[in-house]
Amino acid sequence: MPDWFGMTLAEAKTWATSLGLPAFRGEQLWRGLWRPTTTKVADIPGLPKDLGARLDAAGELLPAVLEQEQESRDGTVKSLLKLPDGKLVECVGIPTAERHTVCISTQVGCAVGCTFCASGQNGVERDLTAGEIVYQVLYHHHRRPVTNVVFMGSGEPLFNYDHVIKAIRVLAEPEGLGLGRRRFTVSTSGVPKRIRQLGIDEPQVTLAFSLHAADDETRSKIVPLNKRWPLEEVLQAMDDYANVVNRRMTLEYVCLSEANMTDFHAGGLASIARRFHAHINLIPFNPVTETHHKRPSPDQVNRFGALVEEMGGHITIRGQRGADIDAACGQLRKRVLENR
Ligand code: SAH
Ligand code: SF4
């Protein structure tokens, strides 16, 4: 079966002609993918019955089905989807008055293994296909139209680069969901070559860099990838990126009470933010079992934030959405796998 949800409209037409069908059959099928009632090819209106039956017999149309879901009192919906090979991925819908942001995964697990993150505790199992990435957005879109997409679920997006770029292109198709490029944010723990590439391939997408510490000694302890690409190598890639795009980038900084919140750390963070005119997102650590990290008190976060601002950094403290559910990246999947 082709990766239906990972196809552009043009590719769907080419697929049809490659089978000796008229191109418009490919277009009919492709348009049918975005309808909330479509679960198999035979549900798509206008297609010949025998074609629908033949394609449905060859495999499942939908790349994922719901396994479990939690809805928070604040409206945040965390969904655990099951892929055709039984693997589980998480995606989260976060509604506010004006927006509906969906946070999606790009890999099953993650190879980076940051010490505070549930997704990386057992390494990476596999990359998601473009269709599996797109479908997470579509799943939440059917509940309420999606306005923004953030690649901040499980996995390192820049280690699954081609499928991430493809997913953005499919989601941006005007004939499908038509999401503007500026509505996407790709978050990375820091892969220099791919940061440069992203600036060339998709200059309108926002880049978020998971900094978490502005000195190599601290950062290597919490983000193991820092040993492979030390901070300055990543920052130089970001300089090159900044030279080709004119989007403000974001620095993410998980506040770990005992690890990265001294005055020294605040100074380092402010200095990198000034270098890139970047906006800083302070994220109070969301407790994950089996990590030694401690959640800072609101006072500690406010004090750290004020210090960074005094030194010229612009910060937002990320409010905790979905506090009453397993909201941290990888938590729901981890709990379900442990109880299987
Ligand atoms: N792998 C990419 C994108 C997914 S992680 C990256 O690291 O950027 C997205 C964000 O969630 C990262 O900034 C990460 O640091 C943060 N995060 C992961 N686990 C967390 C936790 N337990 N508490 C708070 N933030 C967490
Ligand atoms: Fe991977 Fe990002 Fe989690 Fe680090 S924070 S383990 S890079 S998903």
Side-chain angles (χ1 to χ4, degrees):
M1 282 287 269
D3 184 22
W4 293 115
F5 289 83
M7 272 194 204
T8 59
L9 175 55
E11 284 169 343
K13 290 184 190 170
T14 308
W15 163 83
T17 49
S18 74
L19 290 187
L21 296 166
F24 79 85
R25 291 292 181 214
E27 175 162 357
Q28 258 177 335
L29 199 155
W30 188 88
R31 287 182 184 278
L33 297 177
W34 315 108
R35 295 160 51 98
T37 48
T38 299
T39 59
K40 48 189 194 318
V41 184
D43 296 334
I44 297 174
L47 284 177
K49 288 229 160 12
D50 61 328
L51 178 63
R54 191 151 51 88
L55 292 173
D56 283 327
E60 294 293 330
L61 177 70
L62 301 188
V65 290
L66 184 67
E67 170 82 6
Q68 217 185 89
E69 198 155 68
Q70 296 178 334
E71 184 159 357
S72 163
R73 281 187 293 276
D74 64 19
T76 302
V77 176
K78 180 149 198 166
S79 317
L80 190 66
L81 302 183
K82 189 157 95 183
L83 307 176
D85 59 358
K87 307 274 184 216
L88 300 171
V89 283
E90 291 179 9
C91 49
V92 188
I94 309 158
T96 61
E98 309 86 37
R99 289 182 176 196
H100 184 205
T101 301
V102 179
C103 174
I104 55 174
S105 298
T106 54
Q107 297 181 305
V108 181
C110 182
V112 178
C114 301
T115 54
F116 50 81
C117 175
S119 302
Q121 290 189 354
N122 295 310
V124 65
E125 293 182 48
R126 71 168 171 88
D127 287 343
L128 299 189
T129 64
E132 288 167 340
I133 297 172
V134 166
Y135 190 75
Q136 296 171 61
V137 178
L138 189 62
Y139 176 82
H140 283 276
H141 185 78
H142 289 329
R143 295 174 150 250
R144 177 178 154 178
V146 166
T147 59
N148 295 77
V149 176
V150 296
F151 289 85
M152 293 184 184
S154 295
E156 171 45 59
L158 300 190
F159 281 162
N160 187 13
Y161 185 83
D162 292 346
H163 290 157
V164 165
I165 296 295
K166 188 67 187 300
I168 292 172
R169 291 184 177 162
V170 173
L171 289 164
E173 282 265 15
E175 309 287 319
L177 299 198
L179 286 166
R181 297 296 208 278
R182 289 165 184 267
R183 297 181 173 274
F184 294 90
T185 300
V186 173
S187 174
T188 179
S189 55
V191 185
K193 185 176 132 197
R194 296 304 192 188
I195 288 174
R196 290 190 177 93
Q197 185 83 36
L198 184 69
I200 295 162
D201 292 340
E202 288 294 344
Q204 293 193 333
V205 164
T206 300
L207 176 69
F209 173 45
S210 290
L211 179 62
H212 310 320
D215 65 286
D216 281 324
E217 196 189 333
T218 312
R219 194 166 189 269
S220 290
K221 282 189 201 144
I222 53 184
V223 182
L225 201 63
N226 196 71
K227 292 181 210 143
R228 181 150 159 211
W229 291 299
L231 206 43
E232 195 47 41
E233 272 187 50
V234 182
L235 298 180
Q236 278 172 19
M238 285 166 57
D239 281 329
D240 294 342
Y241 173 92
N243 283 335
V244 296
V245 307
N246 56 6
R247 299 277 293 155
R248 188 177 292 270
M249 43 183 132
T250 304
L251 298 174
E252 288 161 282
Y253 200 94
V254 172
C255 295
L256 305 165
S257 175
E258 77 306 332
N260 63 355
M261 297 186 71
T262 65
D263 293 5
F264 164 74
H265 292 120
L269 170 57
S271 131
I272 292 180
R274 289 196 308 268
R275 169 166 165 185
F276 294 101
H277 307 286
H279 190 86
I280 302 163
N281 247 324
L282 291 184
I283 316 165
F285 169 59
N286 216 326
V288 168
T289 48
E290 290 155 39
T291 76
H292 58 280
H293 295 297
K294 291 185 187 60
R295 186 175 169 84
S297 68
D299 275 357
Q300 194 187 358
V301 178
N302 289 336
R303 189 192 152 277
F304 183 76
L307 203 57
V308 175
E309 290 223 300
E310 258 170 46
M311 291 184 276
H314 300 284
I315 66 150
T316 304
I317 298 177
R318 192 177 292 172
Q320 201 187 358
R321 297 294 308 257
D324 51 333
I325 58 176
D326 294 311
C329 151
Q331 271 184 341
L332 175 60
R333 169 172 173 266
K334 184 165 176 288
R335 194 171 52 70
V336 168
L337 287 175
E338 281 165 358
N339 293 332
R340 257 185 174 179

